[in-house]
Amino acid sequence: MKILRFIPLLLFPVYLLSCKPQQAMPDYLDQVNDTTGKGEVKMMDLKIQKGDILSIQINSLSTDLRADILYNMPAEGSISSGYLVDLQGNIDHHRLGTIHAAGLTKQELAVEIKKRLTVPVELLRDPTVVIRFQNFRINVLGEVARAGQIIVPGERLTILEAITLAGGVTEYGKKNSIKIIRETNGQRETGYIDLTSKNVFDSPYYNLAQNDVILISPTKQRIKEADQQKVFQKISFGLSLVMAVTTLTNLLIR
């Protein structure tokens, strides 16, 4: 049983590996220290993308109320009474036919629909068109308390609001280098935003777009601790094996 005397010495490296140094983490808006400068609140004019589901409500001043109803009846095969933007970027309106939507803003699509309602024949008198997104959602991955998909009931979400809904960045997450993956006009782009910067509100990624993916990478300390944890597990397994063999050997010798 002499080997048992050396167990504390064998455990000492494990203890050293388990100790982690305290590391100062940057806080949100860490560089913002003055409220005297007022900046304009910027709103993002979202572009319609392939795969979006749109709610389209048409109203008019037509005296025949049935006319409006005909244009607002759910289309056959529609999704949740909405119109799916297909892989060609089109919607198939049950009364107006195929309309190209991808790449347009909601306002631009509304103008196109109004044009079809009035030119060359006035189908409805002084129509108004209201368009809403029915599938505004984003995904948050990485070092946050609750990673996953966030469904947004409205049509505006900032990076700070998204991080809040995900439970905040953990102590191991990089707040100063958050990656945003966004699809625009069929092209995928990647950008970074610094949540500690005073210029965060000017970033094109401060206001999120539908289907954005937010990635919070781990700090170097987190990666180092993960590697140490693997070493700790291997050492623990080795010690357990040594103790098991030693115990079994002593039992057989007796």
Side-chain angles (χ1 to χ4, degrees), residues 62 71 95-96 112-127:
S62 299
Y71 285 93
R95 298 286 292 183
L96 300 175
E112 176 60 28
I113 293 176
K114 288 177 65 175
K115 184 186 299 183
R116 296 202 179 196
L117 290 168
T118 55
V119 179
V121 179
E122 186 179 77
L123 302 174
L124 292 176
R125 180 187 170 197
D126 195 13

Side-chain angles (χ1 to χ4, degrees), residues 9 15 22-23 68 71 91 93 125 155 182 220:
L9 294 177
Y15 169 77
Q22 294 295 321
Q23 179 176 349
D68 289 3
Y71 285 93
I91 62 171
H93 194 277
R125 180 187 170 197
E155 296 182 353
R182 175 175 297 169
K220 292 182 179 179

Side-chain angles (χ1 to χ4, degrees), residues 178-233:
I178 292 181
K179 182 184 295 185
I180 310 292
I181 300 176
R182 175 175 297 169
E183 293 185 3
T184 305
N185 296 328
Q187 300 294 319
R188 185 176 295 108
E189 64 182 66
T190 301
Y192 291 86
I193 187 168
D194 181 357
L195 294 186
T196 69
S197 172
K198 62 182 178 181
N199 299 319
V200 62
F201 304 110
D202 298 323
S203 170
Y205 300 101
Y206 178 74
N207 289 291
L208 299 174
Q210 72 273 35
N211 306 317
D212 276 357
V213 177
I214 303 172
L215 298 175
I216 294 88
S217 300
T219 60
K220 292 182 179 179
Q221 180 62 30
R222 175 60 167 171
I223 297 173
K224 180 180 179 181
E225 288 182 14
D227 292 339
Q228 289 178 344
Q229 184 65 24
K230 292 179 182 178
V231 174
F232 174 80
Q233 291 174 349

Side-chain angles (χ1 to χ4, degrees), residues 3 7 10 236-249:
I3 192 171
I7 294 298
L10 295 173
S236 297
F237 175 77
L239 289 176
S240 299
L241 186 62
V242 170
M243 294 183 67
V245 171
T246 303
T247 302
L248 182 60
T249 301

Side-chain angles (χ1 to χ4, degrees), residues 64-203:
D64 186 357
L65 297 179
R66 292 174 299 177
D68 289 3
I69 294 176
L70 289 175
Y71 285 93
N72 291 310
M73 291 178 62
E76 183 178 352
S78 62
I79 302 176
S80 302
S81 300
Y83 292 89
L84 173 67
V85 183
D86 63 23
L87 295 179
Q88 286 70 46
N90 303 323
I91 62 171
D92 188 12
H93 194 277
H94 63 288
R95 298 286 292 183
L96 300 175
T98 301
I99 306 173
H100 189 74
L104 303 179
T105 65
K106 293 184 302 176
Q107 181 62 33
E108 290 170 341
L109 178 58
V111 169
E112 176 60 28
I113 293 176
K114 288 177 65 175
K115 184 186 299 183
R116 296 202 179 196
L117 290 168
T118 55
V119 179
V121 179
E122 186 179 77
L123 302 174
L124 292 176
R125 180 187 170 197
D126 195 13
T128 59
V129 180
V130 178
I131 300 175
R132 295 282 184 268
F133 289 104
Q134 291 189 337
N135 64 326
F136 194 108
R137 63 192 67 189
I138 56 115
N139 291 281
V140 185
L141 304 173
E143 292 293 336
V144 290
R146 296 185 298 273
Q149 188 176 86
I150 297 175
I151 298 176
V152 185
E155 296 182 353
R156 181 177 183 267
L157 188 72
T158 68
I159 182 67
L160 291 175
E161 291 170 333
I163 294 298
T164 300
L165 291 172
V169 179
T170 69
E171 62 176 311
Y172 299 108
K174 292 182 179 180
K175 296 187 182 74
N176 56 1
S177 183
I178 292 181
K179 182 184 295 185
I180 310 292
I181 300 176
R182 175 175 297 169
E183 293 185 3
T184 305
N185 296 328
Q187 300 294 319
R188 185 176 295 108
E189 64 182 66
T190 301
Y192 291 86
I193 187 168
D194 181 357
L195 294 186
T196 69
S197 172
K198 62 182 178 181
N199 299 319
V200 62
F201 304 110
D202 298 323
S203 170

